[in-house]
Amino acid sequence: MRLLLVLFAISLCKASKTPLGAAGNKYFAHLCCTTLSETLPDPAIVHFPGSAEYEDQQLDYFISQQTELHPSCRVSPTTSSEVSLVVKTLTEHSCPFSVRSGGHMSWRASNIARGIALDLGQLNGIDVDEKKGAVRLGPGSNWGRVYTALEPYNLSTVGGRVPEVGVGGYFLGGRYISFHVPMDQLDSNHCDDSIGGISLLSFRHGFGSDNVINYQVVLANGTLVNANATSHPDLFWALKLGSTNFGIVTRFDVFTYPLAEIWSGGRIYALDPQETPQLLHNWVSFSRKSASSRGELQAVVLGKGSVTVWHGSLDPSPSPPLSTATSITDTTRSTTLLKFLDELQPGLGDQKRTRWFTFTVKLDATFLWDVHSYAREIYDELGHVSELQWEIAIQPIAKSFMRASSETGANPFRNVLMESKEDLALILLISTWRDQSNDKAMYKAMSKLGAWSEDTARQRRILNNFLYLNYANEEQSVYARSVNQEDLARMRRVKKMYDLDNALGRLWKGGFKIPDDDSDEQGGQSAAHTEL
């Protein structure tokens, strides 16, 4: 009898476009999944709980918080036309869904409870076009495969720094990239640094999204379009800070650049109250005076007992250490980008719980050390938390990044970044732990540290309003802060042009949503948007 009711409901909904996902009810979410399997030419791409495909995908996330959300089904399209049909079906029937590229979000944003998880892992094509100086990338590919495909041509692109990170999330927001140091080298510490849209190629070519020359994107109604400088140019501009607002990108066409060898690696030092502040002063000096001319990106990671400096330089000659202290480890050498990335594996098999917070400041070594000191004070009080680890990851946003960005194309966040007219430091606060019972204490600690850091930076007049979308947590107001009022109004107009009834805002859970108007101070989405 129940099966007959289900079949009757499906046939009725197909005829009348009745919403199937009403109120997030588990039963109706199942109807959405059944409708997809009935509608798609290949029903085998719809995976239900208990199937090997469903369970494998469910475990393939970076953080534990993601795996705790259980969708009613998971869908694995293999072509852009299948994505188009899936989206058309979901929006017609008001079915809630999430989208995953690589599963590297730092909060619950690429999985869903009682809805449809759309997994783009099978859209993983890589097509190198030497004549056009471009590569066409599927969102489900990862950077290891991309660089492997480009290396025989001595080419690279402004991409991610860890092989297992997905292409789609990197360009649109919602991915995690980790600089991983073997645990036996750092006692109880490890160093994770997310380098999203920023690359050592950024000195010459801007941010990752600046180098996308075409998006193949499925709109809310299922229409497949190409957005570039001449076709749908407003959408092309908005997608450079797109998140989950405008459509599902099924292919990125990206500039490529010659790149054979680089000078790169990591230098690890013991944290010292005299040596480490001087290291930070040296880092600020290098970032202002030498980084752009060498094309060298130096990322500093401060842990409880260690400090790591990651070097990546277009100049093949070595740069001097930032510290006179003897390093614990030094892996710097001339190598290829792909070989360097081999040591930066994020260890996806060891999932932990994670909390991040990000902000941007003018270069100030004293402030950076003060943030570390306050972080140590906060986390020393949480000695009872199982497997607690924390780091402060610091990297430059050089003025040359912004100049290069203006040459390769405009983006929605550039104007806010340029307000300071100075070199900046992008800061990411990271904490990880094991047990769910410690969530409340760890979230509270991160909120306290983040608020203190921003308040202190504001008092010292060094705070820049920019929040890097790929690092922000769901409580941070990304669009309200990272985009000025004029550009935000333009993004709202683009949104209405391509998704008039806000279907993606209502149904696509996770990611960051454009605030409705200037009175809406919350540019981010709460975790409730992934849990129906």
Side-chain angles (χ1 to χ4, degrees):
M1 182 64 179
R2 183 178 179 182
L3 177 60
L4 292 176
L5 288 173
V6 170
L7 294 175
F8 175 73
I10 292 170
S11 62
L12 182 64
C13 291
K14 285 181 177 179
S16 64
K17 305 300 186 291
T18 302
L20 288 171
N25 182 282
K26 182 178 181 179
Y27 175 67
F28 287 109
H30 181 78
L31 285 181
C32 289
C33 294
T34 308
T35 299
L36 280 173
S37 65
E38 293 285 333
T39 303
L40 293 169
D42 183 7
I45 68 172
V46 182
H47 312 302
F48 289 90
S51 67
E53 295 86 351
Y54 180 102
E55 301 303 332
D56 287 346
Q57 290 181 14
Q58 185 67 12
L59 293 174
D60 192 21
Y61 287 92
F62 183 74
I63 64 171
S64 297
Q65 291 102 315
Q66 294 266 39
T67 64
E68 293 165 357
L69 300 178
H70 297 279
S72 297
C73 64
R74 307 189 67 92
V75 183
S76 302
T78 59
T79 65
S80 57
S81 60
E82 286 182 341
V83 175
S84 176
L85 185 53
V86 168
V87 172
K88 184 174 187 293
T89 303
L90 295 177
T91 55
E92 281 184 348
H93 296 300
S94 296
C95 299
F97 65 96
S98 66
V99 180
R100 185 181 83 160
S101 169
H104 291 72
M105 276 297 284
S106 65
W107 54 281
R108 290 176 165 184
S110 57
N111 204 1
I112 189 171
R114 299 187 299 280
I116 292 82
L118 184 55
D119 191 296
L120 303 181
Q122 297 301 311
L123 275 73
N124 55 13
I126 302 171
D127 182 14
V128 181
D129 191 330
E130 282 190 281
K131 291 183 179 180
K132 293 185 177 180
V135 59
R136 290 178 283 272
L137 304 174
S141 191
N142 63 48
W143 290 106
R145 294 186 66 246
V146 173
Y147 296 136
T148 298
L150 290 173
E151 191 173 71
Y153 301 93
N154 287 326
L155 294 172
S156 189
T157 189
V158 184
R161 290 197 185 186
V162 165
E164 294 179 0
V165 168
V167 166
Y170 171 86
F171 282 122
L172 294 173
R175 56 43 31 302
Y176 176 71
I177 298 178
S178 163
F179 273 164
H180 179 71
V181 179
M183 300 292 283
D184 58 0
Q185 294 181 11
L186 289 179
D187 299 321
S188 62
N189 294 300
H190 74 289
C191 297
D192 290 319
D193 181 26
S194 304
I195 310 292
I198 298 173
S199 158
L200 62 94
L201 290 171
S202 292
F203 291 103
R204 298 178 181 176
H205 306 295
F207 298 92
S209 59
D210 292 322
N211 290 272
V212 179
I213 53 181
N214 181 72
Y215 299 88
Q216 184 188 76
V217 56
V218 175
L219 304 178
N221 62 3
T223 302
L224 183 67
V225 302
N226 284 294
N228 51 56
T230 58
S231 175
H232 305 282
D234 282 340
L235 179 61
F236 175 61
W237 171 83
L239 282 169
K240 292 178 183 293
L241 195 64
S243 193
T244 59
N245 291 283
F246 302 101
I248 298 176
V249 178
T250 54
R251 195 187 76 217
F252 300 84
D253 300 347
V254 186
F255 283 124
T256 58
Y257 305 101
L259 184 66
E261 284 200 341
I262 62 173
W263 183 82
S264 61
R267 289 167 171 155
I268 305 172
Y269 305 91
L271 197 108
D272 181 88
Q274 281 77 45
E275 293 288 345
T276 303
Q278 184 60 51
L279 181 151
L280 293 172
H281 280 285
N282 294 341
W283 177 80
V284 167
S285 178
F286 178 88
S287 298
R288 283 177 174 156
K289 298 177 181 179
S290 305
S292 294
S293 61
R294 279 185 54 85
E296 180 171 338
L297 185 66
Q298 293 185 353
V300 177
V301 184
L302 300 172
K304 181 178 180 180
S306 66
V307 55
T308 301
V309 183
W310 287 103
H311 302 262
S313 179
L314 301 175
D315 188 327
S317 62
S319 63
L322 293 181
S323 176
T324 58
T326 303
S327 62
I328 300 171
T329 301
D330 186 342
T331 63
T332 55
R333 76 275 191 198
S334 293
T335 185
T336 64
L337 179 61
L338 189 60
K339 289 178 180 178
F340 170 55
L341 295 181
D342 284 342
E343 71 183 68
L344 306 182
Q345 295 292 342
L348 291 179
D350 184 28
Q351 292 170 335
K352 288 188 177 181
R353 312 187 74 77
T354 297
R355 190 62 173 172
W356 288 7
F357 188 97
T358 188
F359 59 99
T360 306
V361 295
K362 299 176 184 179
L363 297 180
D364 188 309
T366 300
F367 172 77
L368 298 176
W369 182 247
D370 288 345
V371 172
H372 179 271
S373 299
Y374 191 62
R376 186 161 191 161
E377 179 181 327
I378 287 176
Y379 289 113
D380 279 353
E381 297 177 356
L382 296 173
H384 64 281
V385 174
S386 175
E387 299 183 46
L388 167 62
Q389 297 176 359
W390 59 270
E391 294 89 27
I392 301 170
I394 310 160
Q395 62 184 309
I397 301 180
K399 287 184 291 186
S400 58
F401 290 9
M402 273 81 85
R403 288 195 294 268
S405 175
S406 64
E407 293 171 2
T408 54
N411 62 56
F413 56 87
R414 178 175 171 271
N415 286 326
V416 169
L417 272 177
M418 293 186 68
E419 287 175 357
S420 295
K421 298 180 180 180
E422 296 185 31
D423 296 312
L424 302 170
L426 177 60
I427 300 177
L428 174 61
L429 311 176
I430 311 169
S431 63
T432 62
W433 65 100
R434 178 67 66 182
D435 296 329
Q436 185 177 6
S437 61
N438 297 131
D439 283 5
K440 185 176 180 180
M442 293 300 296
Y443 277 58
K444 182 178 179 180
M446 183 59 77
S447 295
K448 183 178 180 180
L449 176 59
W452 181 91
S453 299
E454 285 202 322
D455 288 346
T456 302
R458 191 176 292 109
Q459 292 167 14
R460 299 183 189 182
R461 298 184 179 181
I462 62 171
L463 183 68
N464 180 279
N465 217 28
F466 176 72
L467 295 177
Y468 187 35
L469 187 150
N470 276 345
Y471 293 2
N473 69 51
E474 74 278 11
E475 295 179 353
Q476 296 192 269
S477 304
V478 171
Y479 284 106
R481 287 182 50 174
S482 298
V483 183
N484 67 23
Q485 291 187 4
E486 182 180 349
D487 288 331
L488 191 56
R490 182 183 175 187
M491 295 192 84
R492 292 190 187 108
R493 292 194 297 271
V494 176
K495 171 69 175 175
K496 290 180 180 178
M497 186 184 305
Y498 291 95
D499 186 13
L500 182 60
D501 64 352
N502 195 31
L504 300 182
R506 291 181 289 106
L507 301 174
W508 189 350
K509 308 304 177 180
F512 293 90
K513 303 299 183 182
I514 297 171
D516 292 335
D517 53 52
D518 292 335
S519 63
D520 183 355
E521 293 298 327
Q522 281 302 109
Q525 288 290 91
S526 71
H529 287 275
T530 62
E531 301 177 67
L532 304 177

